[in-house]
Structures are given as C-alpha cells and as structure tokens.
Amino acid sequence: TGRGGSASANAAENAESSLPWARFSSWLECVCVVTFDLELGQAIELVYPHDVKLTEKEKTSICYLSFPDSYSGCLGDTQFSFRLRQSVGRRGSWFGEEDAYSRDAPVTLQVKLAHFYGYVYFRQVKDASVKRGYFQKSLVLVSRLPYVHLFQSLLQIIAPEYFEKLEPCLEAVCNEIDQWQSPVPGLTLNLPVMGVVMQVRIPSKNDKPGGSPEKQAQKEVAPMMLPTIHELDLFKCFQSFLIHLQMLWELMLLGEPVVVMAPSPTVSSETVLALVSSIAPLRYCCDYRPYFTIHDTEFKEYTTRTQAPPNVILGVTNPFFIKTFQSWPHIIRLGELKMSGDLPKQVKVKKLAKLKTLDTKPGIYTAHKMFLQKDKSLIKRLLKGIQRKRPSEVQSAILRRHLLELTQSFIIPLVRGLPSLSPLYRLCLSCCTPPQIRPFSQEEFMGTLEHAGPQLTSVLKGDWVGLYRKFFRSPNFDGWYRLRHREMTQKLECLHLEVICDADLLGWTKDKSEVEIVDLVLKLREKLMKAGKQQLPVKEGVLEKLEGYLQTVISSLPEDLQTSSVTFNVAQS
C-alpha cells in the first residue's frame, strides 16, 4: 500500500485500540430508524449505537430527509441519499482535521467535518394492521464518508432483513461493522455482513486518474465484489440531458447556484451527486444537497429573496419549490424518463421566463451562455452505444473519461501557473525559517494561455480565457488554490527540516549567546511537534536525527538552563 497506506493503517489501529465502537465509527456515525407516527409525524424510532449523541436539530433534519415527500408517490422500496450540516459545537468524531485517512484519500473523497451524509432505504407497503393503511419506515446510515455505492449496496443487504426482524438484527449488523478494518486509502478490504462478504478497494490519492486500481491477490474469494465504493452510473443519471452535459460541467466548475427538480428523491440525489462528481479530480467546494425539503434548517437561508442565490446545488421533489426558486439562475426540471424509439428523449434548454408554476415541463431553464463549443463526437459515440445496446457501465466509463480529460485540460495550465518551488529550495539553504510562497498571479497566468493553455490537450474551441476569469471568482478556485498552497508549504517545510538536519548545529552554537541557543531550541522543538502532528512526509530518519541533535544542543547549555524549563522536554514525534 506504500508509505501513506501503512501510516494510515497504523494511525487507524491506534485509534481502534483505545475507543469503544472505534472501528464502527470509522465507517458510520450511527444507524437510525425513522418511522411515521400518526400523532408526531416522522419520528426517530431508534438510534444505534445507543450512546451516539445527535443534537435535536440533527434528529429533526434526519427525520424529514429520510422520507420522500408526498408528491413522489414512492410505493415499495426506495433508496436515496442526503447531506446535512452538522450542528455547531457538537463533539468530535473519529476523524480529525489532519487525520491519516483524508491525507491519503483523493481530494474528492476526503472527509469534511462540517457535514454528514445520510443513505436511506425507505419502505412503504400496504398494511391493514396500521391505522393509515401503510407501513412506512426508513433505515438510514449516517456517515461522514461519501461512499454512496458502498452504503447503498450495504442497505440492500441489511434493510430487507431489518424490516422483518427489527432491532436484534440491527444490533448484530452494527457489531459486525465494528469488526471491519478501518478504511485505509490504497487497501482492498473484505467486509463481512449477514453472511455476505463485500470486497472493496479504498481509493488513494496516488491512484492514476481514470485508471483501473491495481488488483490485489486475496486469500479467499469474496462473493460480492464492488467495482467502486463511490461512483454512480453516470450514463443513467445523465441520459435525459446528454447533449447539454458540457453546459452543466461549466456550471459545476463555476460553482453556480443550481436547482434540480426531480420526480423522486432517488433521481434528485443521484443527479446532484453525479453533477458534483463531473468535475473530478477537482473537488467541488460549494455546498450541495442531494435531497432538500421545505423542513430543512437551511430552507430560509437558501430561499431568501434579499440577496443573490448562494453557491449551492439543491435536489428537490416538491413542485412548491418552482415558485420559491424562480429567481435562481439555473433550474434543471426532470420528468419521468421518456424514450424516442431506442433513444432517451433529451430535455431542451429554455428561457427562465418560461418557468411556470407547478406544471413546468422538463427542461434546463437558464440564461447561461456556454464558454466552450459542444463536443459532438462524444454525443455521437454515446448514441451509437445506445443503438448497439452497449452496457450502461461501459457508457458511464466513456462519459467519466471524457469529463476527466476535460477537467484535466482545464487544470493542467493552472498547475503550470503555480509559482515554482525551485528558487525557494535554494532559499531554504540560507534561511532559519522556510521562505514564503509567492501569491498566484491571475494576470501572469492569463499571459501564458496563448502558448501553454488547454489547447495543448483539448480540441475544444471557445472562450477559455473567459471561463478561467469566471472560475477565479468561484469557491472552487479558492478551494483548489488553498489545497495546492498547503501542499507546497508542506514540501518546503520538509525540505527545510532536511536542510537543518544536514547542518552543523553544534558548531553554530559555539559563538552564540545562551538566549540565541534557547531560541533555536524552542524553534526546533516547535518544528518537530508540527511535523509530528501534520505527519509531514519527510525522509526517513530526519526527525529522529533532529531529535538527537536537539538533545545534544540542550546538553551543551548550563545545567540550570537544562532543568529550569519544561520547554526542553522534547516531544517525541
């Protein structure tokens, strides 16, 4: 699994040995059962493990987001997902800000502590023994991990059994999950549950984008191999607007406010998650709600008319929202899928003025003018695939590859435009503190586009310059740049530690005052603690060597200084 994998594995094992339900918590926050009570409406019937503390606000949100609204008319079994904001000031989780999992995971799968995901299996069937005539219940997995395919597959195994056997069955499942190894990027894991073994590979940031993960030899054959833990069937999600996919890619890239109005929570949540994933490997840094209701705690915040719509994608099913969101710039109205012969009927782009209340026809209501020309070759290839009855997973792979190459053509010039670290490496050799990274210059970058722009890797013509200018004003650029800046800063920190390690520290102290030596000790101690806390990828042996140097420098000081302060009790990293 490489260095990252083993570091993550060790960190995970340490966490597992010290906390109750630690392995379970590395996958799930909790499991909830939501039922319909005639007097209370939707209510949480059960939370497992029992000692999980959800705030009242979180419980209310989970209740409303776990049931399709009455407009969806979902009979039988329905699966969908939601995302909710975590309450302010709640207790910490298994994941830390600098945890080993997020450090080694791809940016699109890193844990964001401010939000939970909810994965729902809802059952509504006729039942004469119930007053309303229907059995209505949802089994909900609450997690910080965006593993939609894994958790929906898990629900398909456990929910039907749970609805038959109730709480004892749920307790047994949670105990089984508590035996799973924690998710470590790069590892292939066998996850047993209810007599089935799911085999999954946890993606790593070192995976080649778009490549197949390397196969790992297993001692036993897993009966159920999941080819992915997080990817959706893109072709199925996008099939009614394939010809407008590039326009939607631009809207996602720019973090534009978008409402997806769908006939069911399943279509709503899958469409929103598919749109968010369309700009991978770039992380979508705005808020997104795969399923959103009028009972949501952010409803007022997101529907206020007094300010511009926020950078968020909302998936909704209630027709009431058409009136509420009339001022929003982009509305995707989806109906039930219709076929035109063998081909899925494509929705049209329509003017926002045509947005009528309640009976609005399917379409993409927007005034967005595309920056880039459409790639007609992709549409032809997909249509040919439909005619030849090509499997959906193959069509999805074609789509994912196309979107990946489009995003990479956009990102590569930006990466080239980042300040070079080479001159800073030289400065490291002469500075006591690592040199500062020069800010990104948008104008300098624009000057490079003519000879080193996206045209080197993409055949698409259009206003790339205009697209970059608008991207620079979006949260996605801000998030991308902060991440790259942090990576560059850490590289410099590592190099600086290696330079100090090669320096003659004891020789340097010979003509220095005690105050200067104490200052050096304090600075080095702080650096070592920081390197340990952030688990900087320094060369092997560097931290241990510095630790030894530090002890030598401390022992060269007068005895009263050596013992007078706890400052010199150097933290082992």
Side-chain angles (χ1 to χ4, degrees), residues 11 15 18 21 67 93 144 147 174 265 307 355 420 455 458 465 488 494 503 531 544:
S18 58
W21 291 104
F67 268 44
S93 83
R144 294 177 192 274
Y147 293 174
C174 290
Q307 58 196 57
L355 200 64
S420 168
Q455 72 276 12
S458 175
V465 171
M488 290 193 293
C494 290
E544 293 76 7

Side-chain angles (χ1 to χ4, degrees), residues 88-141:
V88 177
R90 82 186 319 278
R91 64 171 182 75
S93 83
W94 184 87
F95 298 96
E97 285 294 349
E98 290 284 344
D99 70 279
Y101 166 79
S102 282
R103 217 175 26 254
D104 295 326
V107 290
T108 50
L109 295 181
Q110 287 170 358
V111 167
K112 290 278 143 266
L113 293 185
H115 290 89
F116 291 125
Y117 294 90
Y119 303 98
V120 182
Y121 194 108
F122 169 72
R123 175 169 286 184
Q124 176 168 273
V125 288
K126 283 185 175 174
D127 185 346
S129 67
V130 181
K131 264 190 186 175
R132 296 178 92 216
Y134 284 96
F135 169 93
Q136 291 175 305
K137 204 166 272 201
S138 282
L139 183 61
V140 188
L141 306 180

Side-chain angles (χ1 to χ4, degrees), residues 225-282:
M225 293 183 73
L226 296 188
T228 172
I229 56 171
H230 64 288
E231 288 173 348
L232 291 148
D233 184 340
L234 283 193
F235 180 69
K236 188 181 125 201
C237 296
F238 292 152
Q239 59 186 331
S240 60
F241 46 86
L242 289 169
I243 58 174
H244 307 300
L245 195 54
Q246 211 163 294
M247 176 204 276
L248 296 175
W249 174 83
E250 286 186 11
L251 296 181
M252 294 303 105
L253 185 74
L254 302 172
E256 287 283 309
V258 175
V259 177
V260 175
M261 294 188 173
S264 71
T266 309
V267 175
S268 147
S269 59
E270 287 186 351
T271 305
V272 169
L273 292 173
L275 285 170
V276 165
S277 75
S278 69
I279 60 168
L282 197 64

